[in-house]
Amino acid sequence: MKMQVAWFHRYGEPEELVLEETNRPTPGPGEAVVRVRAVGVNHVDLDVRAGTARVPIEFPHILGREFAGEVASLGDASGRFKEGDRVWVASRLACGQCEFCWTARDNLCARGHFFGMGLPGGYAQYVKVPLVALRALPAQLGFEEAAASQIAFGTAWHVLMNRGQLQAGQTVLIQAAGSGIGSAAVQVAKFAGATVLATASTDAKLARAQALGADHLINYSQQPAFSAQVMALTDGQGVDLVMEHVGGNVFTESLASLKVDGKMVTVGAHAGEVVPLDIIPFFRRQLQLIGSRNANFAELDTVMNLVAQGRFKPVIHAALPLAQAAQAHRMMGSRDIFGKVVLLP
Ligand SMILES: [Zn+2]
């Protein structure tokens, strides 16, 4: 039994992603094979393909961290799932036996595995998945929406609610609100009852962020020194919390946008990984700089339930057939998008 897959045989440009046929996986005990209906494209996919992600892979490699579909076959009888069930798949596996797994910090498990990284991912018609990673997909939630939600909302939730401890009534600055994670973070922050300041590179993206609930809009292409505008919008106080996932000058300006005793959570650095840090205002203003990874399993379940209830709406820029995986990567790389790009195997 064959399947179609969009994989790459060597690092390089988007054109290295080629649609080919390979053998369909077969499930062993405790495993299912999922017929993938939609898979979300993430920025790290571009980095893995280009060879800059510092993630060890074997060629040919199948990307695709978050996907949804139907159970095609089971390795043995499962009490929870049967063939044809609609499912989404947790984007990673954890060992279940380390101090992090035991303390609801399974996102830090050093023995974890990620689909689309160490494990074959969702840029394929079929993926082998341990049953422990399967989640029932509610009837009202479409495959595309499910594939566009897990990482954006999960990470935004982890950053704002877990690492940032965002409270109702606080002010929060969300960087790059036009990105998948940024558009999700605007919604999570409004859900938490915060006042949201959002940045983006164009006025068109800012208008979309406003439609998602952003209260104040900042165009950081026109105003690279945007901390002055943040101060003006907050009576000279600054914001309680910043979600920063850009890096470079945006990191520096974000730190300068904080209120005394404010927190900044950093979760990405595409625009510059090494930045200057003036230590004196950092301690005098009693600031906190907090690193973050992606969501733990409980948070993934929480956000997917909220998406299913319609409280969070994934923003999908485009859904393309799997054969256009290279085009999807070019689209993501251009950054001239608002929300997520999804592939349909
Ligand atoms: Zn573990």
Side-chain angles (χ1 to χ4, degrees):
M1 298 264 265
K2 296 286 185 182
M3 69 167 181
Q4 286 192 329
V5 57
W7 59 13
F8 58 103
H9 295 267
R10 60 186 178 192
Y11 295 126
E13 297 297 311
E15 290 67 38
E16 296 298 335
L17 286 170
V18 288
L19 192 72
E20 293 182 346
E21 278 205 337
T22 187
N23 288 328
R24 212 189 269 190
T26 51
E31 294 176 335
V33 166
V34 171
R35 170 67 176 94
V36 181
R37 295 298 179 184
V39 54
V41 177
N42 285 280
H43 253 289
V44 70
D45 298 1
L46 280 62
D47 299 337
V48 173
R49 185 214 71 228
T52 58
R54 302 178 209 165
V55 175
I57 57 169
E58 288 176 15
F59 295 117
H61 181 71
I62 307 176
L63 295 164
R65 298 185 60 195
E66 49 181 343
F67 50 95
E70 297 136 349
V71 175
S73 56
L74 292 159
D76 49 17
S78 158
R80 289 166 56 231
F81 294 98
K82 61 184 188 310
E83 288 178 14
D85 281 355
R86 290 157 42 88
V87 292
W88 62 277
V89 178
S91 57
R92 60 193 172 75
L93 306 173
C95 79
Q97 297 175 343
C98 68
E99 67 170 293
F100 299 109
C101 286
W102 284 336
T103 52
R105 294 178 293 160
D106 48 76
N107 57 324
L108 304 178
C109 177
R111 284 175 282 176
H113 297 284
F114 297 82
F115 290 102
M117 309 254 237
L119 303 168
Y123 288 29
Q125 289 182 310
Y126 295 87
V127 181
K128 186 166 71 172
V129 175
L131 291 173
V132 69
L134 286 188
R135 305 284 188 276
L137 182 64
Q140 68 272 27
L141 191 51
F143 294 123
E144 293 176 29
E145 288 74 22
S149 293
Q150 180 183 169
I151 289 179
F153 285 103
T155 307
W157 184 280
H158 187 69
V159 165
L160 296 174
M161 308 300 276
N162 182 327
R163 306 298 288 150
Q165 293 289 306
L166 182 62
Q167 309 290 322
Q170 288 190 325
T171 50
V172 57
L173 176 62
I174 308 287
Q175 299 297 3
S179 62
I181 183 177
S183 61
V186 170
Q187 296 179 62
V188 171
K190 291 310 293 181
F191 178 81
T195 297
V196 175
L197 290 74
T199 69
S201 57
T202 69
D203 288 345
K205 288 182 184 179
L206 287 171
R208 301 282 303 271
Q210 189 172 31
L212 293 174
D215 300 285
H216 302 287
L217 310 171
I218 298 169
N219 183 321
Y220 61 26
S221 306
Q222 289 172 1
Q223 293 189 287
F226 58 81
S227 60
Q229 197 175 344
V230 172
M231 288 298 164
L233 287 166
T234 54
D235 295 329
Q237 299 289 299
V239 293
D240 295 291
L241 178 64
V242 182
M243 184 179 98
E244 212 300 89
H245 55 115
V246 178
N249 176 63
V250 173
F251 178 98
T252 306
E253 283 293 309
S254 294
L255 213 51
S257 299
L258 283 175
K259 187 187 282 186
V260 167
D261 212 18
K263 300 186 187 105
M264 178 158 123
V265 182
T266 177
V267 67
H270 278 276
E273 293 148 3
V274 180
V275 294
L277 174 64
D278 186 344
I279 298 168
I280 290 178
F282 187 78
F283 66 71
R284 284 197 185 148
R285 294 172 60 75
Q286 195 172 297
L287 304 180
Q288 294 183 61
L289 177 59
I290 301 165
S292 180
R293 287 178 66 154
N294 43 19
N296 61 42
F297 289 127
E299 290 165 342
L300 289 181
D301 291 336
T302 296
V303 296
M304 292 302 276
N305 280 332
L306 288 164
V307 173
Q309 291 168 24
R311 303 295 298 268
F312 294 154
K313 299 206 183 310
V315 180
I316 299 175
H317 176 78
L320 304 173
L322 185 63
Q324 292 179 30
Q327 171 61 13
H329 276 215
R330 279 191 290 269
M331 202 179 265
M332 288 285 287
S334 78
R335 297 184 181 269
D336 190 20
I337 60 173
F338 189 89
K340 297 280 293 190
V341 176
V342 172
L343 289 168
L344 311 174

